[in-house]
Amino acid sequence: MFAKTQKFAQFRQSDLNVRINRSRFFGGDGDDSIDDARDLGRLKSSLEDGGRVSENDPDYYKFTLKKDGIVKFNFKNSGDESIQFSVVDKRDRTISVNGTRLFAEVDDGDKIKFSARLSKGAYFLKVDTEEGRRERFNIKLKLESSRNDDSDDD
């Protein structure tokens, strides 16, 4: 019935390790926990990034403030399902400033902006969706110093 015998390729453990490691650096998300958060670095003026998020697979970003200031957050949902954006602490709890939680649910195709006065330190952005696969989003952060000087203390 079959004229040829088909052979199946066997993967060696080293082949699998190379593929797993490559996916982490080339297109894998690698930022689906606080410990693996994509480090945006120190927020001096503004930062932008974007990506895709899937159901039950959040993305995390880390940014650092060297001094107190007002941070403006811009979130854009380019996907087909709603996306939640929140500023969280190291324990993945949404941060509140003056009684207001730093959280936004953005419907498909919409964008939202808000700002908050934050103290110096490290912060995390969590991007999540309850539905959908590979929902596209963009984030932009802009720092406005709470002081009148533009000194850059390193």
Side-chain angles (χ1 to χ4, degrees), residues 65-84:
L65 298 178
K66 182 129 176 136
K67 57 186 176 183
D68 298 358
I70 297 171
V71 178
K72 292 185 174 186
F73 298 91
N74 295 310
F75 303 116
K76 181 178 179 186
N77 178 349
S78 300
D80 296 326
E81 302 293 338
S82 67
I83 297 177
Q84 297 83 36

Side-chain angles (χ1 to χ4, degrees), residues 72-132:
K72 292 185 174 186
F73 298 91
N74 295 310
F75 303 116
K76 181 178 179 186
N77 178 349
S78 300
D80 296 326
E81 302 293 338
S82 67
I83 297 177
Q84 297 83 36
F85 298 92
S86 53
V87 182
V88 299
D89 64 15
K90 180 71 173 160
R91 294 183 183 172
D92 202 7
R93 295 179 301 197
T94 302
I95 294 173
S96 292
V97 175
N98 297 329
T100 302
R101 293 178 67 218
L102 302 183
F103 171 86
E105 182 157 355
V106 184
D107 289 331
D108 58 308
D110 287 346
K111 49 183 145 177
I112 193 167
K113 298 178 182 183
F114 65 85
S115 62
R117 182 178 301 278
L118 299 176
S119 301
K120 70 178 181 177
Y123 295 89
F124 298 88
L125 286 176
K126 180 179 181 180
V127 183
D128 200 4
T129 185
E130 294 177 3
E131 297 181 33

Side-chain angles (χ1 to χ4, degrees), residues 6-61:
Q6 295 183 355
K7 293 185 178 181
F8 294 96
Q10 293 182 352
F11 288 107
R12 297 183 308 258
Q13 183 64 34
S14 60
D15 291 337
L16 294 175
N17 288 340
V18 168
R19 289 176 188 204
I20 290 169
N21 289 337
R22 280 190 185 150
S23 70
R24 187 162 180 88
F25 295 107
F26 301 106
D29 55 5
D31 53 3
D32 55 359
S33 74
I34 289 276
D35 294 331
D36 292 331
R38 186 176 305 151
D39 194 347
L40 297 175
R42 192 170 107 207
L43 181 56
K44 293 181 184 179
S45 59
S46 67
L47 295 170
E48 290 186 63
D49 202 28
R52 294 178 182 266
V53 66
S54 296
E55 181 179 353
N56 299 318
D57 187 19
D59 282 351
Y60 288 88
Y61 295 86

